[in-house]
Amino acid sequence: LALAASASAFAPASKAPRASVAVSETKADLEELAKKLNPVVGFYDPLNLAEAEFWGTSNEATIGFLRHAEIKHGRVAMFAFVGYIVHANGIKFPWAMQMDGASFPTETNPPALWDTVSDSAKWQIFSLIAFLEFWSELSTPTHKHYMAGGKPGDFPDFSTGPDGIPHPVPFNLYDPFRFSKN
């Protein structure tokens, strides 16, 4: 019975037309949303962040920043957990890790594994993270910034804007398989 209840979370949504989503939210919008999502707890903000105005911006921009940060940190935590489990179970790619033919380390302890990774590989990881962070802050005519009324958690396409990236990237990071295109 418990499995059937959890499986319903993956059932397709009804084909009813979706209401437009208000992305610039106020504290009142958050309180209403919290009551709908969890009637037992309701709205809980012990640090009073819903009334804050970071960096001299509006309250709505601060709420957009906090919502985006929560979504992004949740994604990073999930990615890190999966990576930890993969490495702890000894799963690795079958090809060489580096151009000189060095194979992936055989460590199964993820912190010890990180210590065996070369500095150049670590710089590649940090450079990719820095690029994705830079790219996620872009605002274009088709992608509004999350602090200016855009959707928190949305990631701009790699082909967005007049410049984009010189080569086509097949997946967009927000919805790679276009499940929520409608």
Side-chain angles (χ1 to χ4, degrees):
L1 184 60
L3 289 176
S6 64
S8 66
F10 300 103
S14 65
K15 296 295 180 190
R18 298 175 85 182
S20 64
V21 177
V23 287
S24 293
E25 294 185 348
T26 62
K27 182 178 179 181
D29 295 332
L30 292 178
E31 289 171 349
E32 180 183 330
L33 182 64
K35 232 7 180 183
K36 282 196 303 189
L37 295 176
N38 190 344
V40 175
V41 175
F43 183 73
Y44 181 70
D45 184 17
L47 298 177
N48 206 22
L49 292 174
E51 293 181 6
E53 294 181 355
F54 294 175
W55 309 290
T57 60
S58 69
N59 180 255
E60 289 81 8
T62 300
I63 289 172
F65 170 80
L66 292 171
R67 291 185 68 206
H68 183 78
E70 183 176 9
I71 292 167
K72 181 169 47 173
H73 290 117
R75 289 173 178 163
V76 169
M78 290 184 282
F79 190 71
F81 176 76
V82 169
Y84 191 94
I85 296 302
V86 165
H87 291 300
N89 287 301
I91 301 169
K92 58 185 177 181
F93 293 113
W95 51 82
M97 181 174 80
Q98 297 185 168
M99 297 300 287
D100 64 3
S103 64
F104 284 89
T106 57
E107 292 284 337
T108 57
N109 178 0
L113 175 71
W114 178 254
D115 292 338
T116 62
V117 172
S118 69
D119 287 340
S120 60
K122 290 177 185 175
W123 277 110
Q124 286 179 353
I125 293 168
F126 293 139
S127 297
L128 176 67
I129 292 169
F131 168 75
L132 290 175
E133 189 67 26
F134 164 78
W135 194 261
S136 74
E137 292 295 320
L138 291 179
S139 292
T140 65
T142 59
H143 180 267
K144 289 176 72 175
H145 193 268
Y146 54 86
M147 288 182 71
K151 186 190 304 183
D154 192 9
F155 199 90
D157 291 338
F158 289 111
S159 59
T160 300
D163 300 326
I165 292 183
H167 61 83
V169 177
F171 299 117
N172 119 13
L173 292 180
Y174 182 71
D175 184 18
F177 301 110
R178 305 278 187 226
F179 289 142
S180 63
K181 64 182 176 190
N182 294 329

